[in-house]
Amino acid sequence: MNLYEHEAVSSIYKKYKVPHANFVVATEPNDEVAQFVKDNGGAVVKAMVLVGKRGKAGAVKLVNTPEEAAKAVSDIMGMLVWGEKPVAVMVCEKASIVAELYCAITYSTETRSPVITLSMQGGMDVEDIDPADIQTFPVKAQAEVEPYEIRNMLVKIGFTKQYGEILRQASMAIANVYQAFWGAECRMLEINPLAVVKVSKKDKKTGEMVEALDIRALDAVITLDDDASIPPQKIYGERSAYMREPTQREVDALLIDRDDHRGKAGSYVEPEDLSGDIAMMTFGGGGSAVTIETCYDVGLRPANFTDIGGNPPAEKMYRIGRIILSKPGLKGVLVCGGTASNTRIDVTLGEGLVNAIDDLAKEGKLDRDLIWVVRRGGPEVEKGLKLLAECFERNGIKGKIYDSELPITEAPLILRDLLVEHRGYKPGEQAKEA
Amino acid sequence: MKGTSLLNKNTRLVVIGATGREASQVVRESEALFPGIILAGVTPGKGGTTIEPNVPIFNTIEEAVAEHGAIDTALIYVPPASVKDAALEAIAAGLKTVFVITEHTPIRDAAFIYRVATENGVRVVGGTSLGCFVPAVGRIAAIGGKAPEGALADGGLVVISKSGGLTVTTAEMLKRRGHGVLMAMGMGGDIIAGTIYSDLMEELQANPDCTGLVMLGEVGGTYEEQAAEAIQAGKFTKPVAAFIGGEFQEEQEGVAFGHAGAVVERGKGKASDKKRLLAAAGPNVRVARYYHDLPDCIEELGVKPNLDNPASREVPAKYATI
């Protein structure tokens, strides 16, 4: 799950003592914002969105007065940032930036450990940084890195050439960033920029205000591990996979697995633009992915993605079946899974799906122009496919049913050819040469 | 006798979380199919009980090993939050292989387990592993279900798959074309996988029973890239047929569909790059365009079917209403 910057700063930076700018969060102009801008002699107003490149979208504004701040808050809350509506703004104290570092911590599959990526060329998109200016350091998978390890890294990226006077502060700040990464169970924690800033400090000897350098995390891009020991949605609420409101069908599907942990049938996502004309009833992570992929390859347009598995009871299969078949504009249905080890085919297809079809037919909601292709293997497959075939017969459904003798990815090809032959289907442009 | 370091005639298991619903069913089914591989189970608090007909349950792995010194492998079925505890217990008890079947292990725990295992010379397989099947020996975990003989036949190919379901589906597709397997293994699709393709390549290169490798990979991470590197470095010169799923996800950066590890992050882990690197890794590699091209790929590289009566390529529908 991706966090908004204000969530990341409020709940993670504060807890792990990652130095950051003071701020207030608002959704409309108010007295707190006005007072904050007055006290700090200006501010930076930033849109709280999950997409990147906010600056380029004009969603980060510098303001000097409470009036300017009020206008910036209203403007940003009213805009779309690369299509995404801000949920709030963060009003932060301005920083006097001397240098911008890039700092990210993530898991590397190359070392199968956490890695810290650092560059002196932060402040720009990470893809635009010259690879020669960016270095990645594997660290031991444990709760802490020692600041000396970070100092060794900072020397290697050239930090000490100009900013040696704050080497200790910087190393402790980044060591805290690592602790935050580990402690909050992040999948990725990216700070761009991690800035060297000029601040006014009281000189300990003379008591006078003097300028000094310090380090501040001026951004927070955090992806939490969805499998973290405390599920992120328990802390931050549910979040749609796409940057749009979930459809009613997606919401209905989510409810299927909510109170019943037997198997999984409620994963249902529609393409971001809601397009597609092939209802997909696919089973298992790998089996679903390989089927969807082949669909695109042969020019079929999936209307939804599902990943059903773990031997769900018939009731769950009934519900997801009805949801999948209720999307408008469908032309074909692909029921496709590999050879299940656990999932009972008589229960899922022979009972759950069959009941869904029978009920839709009774209610007059069954579209008999749809063309179906079924391919499935697993426990009680003979019984399950026979029950489904009988259901097709009595309801006048057109289709073909295969068991695991048919390689799984030939099913989309067969459906495409049937659709072309019987319904004049025009395969999409992505279709590869057969 | 045939086998691999993960499963051979000497492999003996303790099942952790053995009294759970899924695990106890797997214990019963596996012992009915291949008796004598599972020597004990562990569930804290259930020590002294038995899974019928004859698998004794202990409170700790240490106790189980003290009673059954032949145990060398742990099979973990505990809930995600307890996986770390169970894996570390197995490592501390001196076992040499740990299969993690549990799905949704926190990444942090997986990385920690991998580190401790590596420091102690222990091999972890998974999380989210389906287990491992060696037709000549038996199986670890539920792979193949109640009637595995329909899908898995003895032969020389090794199937390694991120997807559990596709592990068996692939073995079955190969069997229908006359190819048996030396081993089929689900390595799991987690971000941190304890055992990856390249970890097993040197062993399989040296194993005279292995005639080739069938790799099922997918978008995300760099394990397929590491396999390509190992092949390029000459560590595996036998035939390799690979299928890499997930090209359709490339335009959807950051969106995970299916496995936790199946995400393109900052331009890394694209299926198209994996395919390109594998295809260029050596003349012994074929990358399948469609998944069902895998048997053709392995045959093009000179692997001959070892089973009698391969099925016809034309498959009629079991039922047709059109």
Side-chain angles (χ1 to χ4, degrees), chain A residues 165-411:
Chain A
E165 63 177 285
I166 57 159
L167 179 61
R168 182 169 291 279
Q169 288 102 303
S171 68
M172 288 168 65
I174 297 171
N176 287 352
V177 173
Y178 178 80
Q179 272 200 51
F181 170 83
W182 186 270
E185 291 192 65
C186 300
R187 179 175 177 146
M188 187 193 61
L189 193 169
E190 183 187 59
I191 306 171
N192 190 16
L194 176 65
V196 176
V197 296
K198 217 181 272 173
V199 293
S200 292
K201 265 190 183 165
K202 203 181 256 182
D203 188 290
K204 278 176 192 156
K205 286 179 194 157
T206 64
E208 285 172 34
M209 295 301 281
V210 290
E211 286 204 328
L213 296 182
D214 206 344
I215 192 111
R216 292 271 186 283
L218 296 185
D219 186 26
V221 177
I222 288 184
T223 305
L224 296 175
D225 179 5
D226 290 324
D227 294 331
S229 41
I230 303 170
Q233 62 270 26
K234 279 206 176 154
I235 309 174
Y236 301 98
E238 294 284 352
R239 216 151 272 183
S240 167
Y242 289 112
M243 299 309 152
R244 58 161 167 77
E245 288 288 306
T247 66
Q248 189 58 46
R249 290 178 295 275
E250 287 170 336
V251 174
D252 290 344
L254 265 183
L255 299 175
I256 295 176
D257 291 331
R258 178 170 284 183
D259 301 314
D260 184 344
H261 296 287
R262 294 171 300 160
K264 175 175 85 151
S267 74
Y268 173 93
V269 181
E270 295 179 2
E272 194 160 7
D273 59 2
L274 306 179
S275 65
D277 49 22
I278 306 298
M280 304 285 291
M281 256 174 244
T282 56
F283 298 82
S288 296
V290 80
T291 307
I292 294 162
E293 171 138 43
T294 311
C295 282
Y296 282 117
D297 278 354
V298 303
L300 294 175
R301 294 171 288 266
N304 66 278
F305 311 124
T306 47
D307 161 10
I308 304 165
N311 197 21
E315 164 67 14
K316 281 193 173 189
M317 195 60 214
Y318 173 86
R319 288 170 68 185
I320 194 66
R322 290 192 62 128
I323 290 169
I324 289 171
L325 294 172
S326 70
K327 190 173 170 184
L330 297 176
K331 296 201 172 78
V333 186
L334 187 59
V335 181
C336 201
T339 304
S341 289
N342 258 327
T343 299
R344 292 262 303 260
I345 312 306
D346 56 339
V347 173
T348 47
L349 299 189
E351 191 183 339
L353 179 59
V354 161
N355 290 343
I357 294 170
D358 284 342
D359 282 2
L360 286 170
K362 261 182 239 156
E363 296 160 22
K365 292 179 189 161
L366 183 69
D367 179 356
R368 289 185 172 79
D369 288 334
L370 293 177
I371 292 175
W372 292 59
V373 169
V374 179
R375 188 276 182 202
R376 191 66 167 128
E380 307 298 336
V381 64
E382 282 196 21
K383 186 178 166 199
L385 296 186
K386 182 161 181 283
L387 289 167
L388 189 59
E390 288 163 5
C391 167
F392 278 18
E393 288 281 355
R394 71 175 165 268
N395 289 302
I397 289 175
K398 298 189 206 61
K400 287 190 173 184
I401 297 176
Y402 296 84
D403 64 9
S404 58
E405 219 171 308
L406 185 78
I408 181 170
T409 47
E410 284 186 20

Side-chain angles (χ1 to χ4, degrees), chain A residues 102 107 109 112 141-142 182 187 225 227 242 286 290 293 338-339 386 389 397 399 401 404-405 408-409 433, chain B residues 104 107-108 112 115 169 172 176 191 193-194 199 222-223 226 245-247 260 265-266 289 292 318-319 321:
Chain A
Y102 174 85
Y107 288 98
T109 51
R112 287 181 261 181
Q142 58 189 21
W182 186 270
R187 179 175 177 146
D225 179 5
D227 294 331
Y242 289 112
V290 80
E293 171 138 43
T339 304
K386 182 161 181 283
I397 289 175
I401 297 176
S404 58
E405 219 171 308
I408 181 170
T409 47
E433 286 294 306
Chain B
H104 301 297
I107 307 172
R108 185 177 72 175
F112 190 77
R115 185 197 121 204
T169 306
E172 183 173 7
R176 286 181 190 282
I191 293 170
D199 288 338
T222 56
Y223 297 143
Q226 286 163 263
E247 212 166 336
E265 278 173 329
R266 292 189 282 168
R289 200 182 73 191
H292 56 257
K318 277 195 80 96
Y319 305 96
T321 55

Side-chain angles (χ1 to χ4, degrees), chain A residues 102-120 126 129-140 149-150 152-154 156-157 190, chain B residues 222 266 268:
Chain A
Y102 174 85
C103 171
I105 307 178
T106 183
Y107 288 98
S108 163
T109 51
E110 279 155 35
T111 56
R112 287 181 261 181
S113 74
V115 288
I116 300 179
T117 302
L118 294 170
S119 170
M120 291 303 293
V126 63
I129 303 176
D130 183 339
D133 289 332
I134 195 158
Q135 290 196 52
T136 296
F137 305 93
V139 293
K140 263 192 174 183
E149 298 176 77
I150 306 286
N152 287 338
M153 298 173 196
L154 286 170
K156 290 198 178 94
I157 65 160
E190 183 187 59
Chain B
T222 56
R266 292 189 282 168
K268 275 198 165 180

Side-chain angles (χ1 to χ4, degrees), chain B residues 194-261:
Chain B
T195 296
I196 60 178
Y197 314 102
S198 52
D199 288 338
L200 294 174
M201 280 183 175
E202 284 175 64
E203 174 193 332
L204 296 176
Q205 175 74 18
N207 186 331
D209 293 323
C210 171
T211 56
L213 174 63
V214 177
M215 280 177 60
L216 283 295
E218 66 187 12
V219 63
T222 56
Y223 297 143
E224 294 81 1
E225 286 85 336
Q226 286 163 263
E229 270 172 41
I231 293 166
Q232 198 154 27
K235 288 183 184 158
F236 195 75
T237 57
K238 296 178 184 182
V240 179
F243 175 79
I244 310 297
E247 212 166 336
F248 76 97
Q249 280 165 287
E250 290 190 359
E251 299 311 311
Q252 307 171 20
E253 183 143 333
V255 174
F257 176 73
H259 299 128

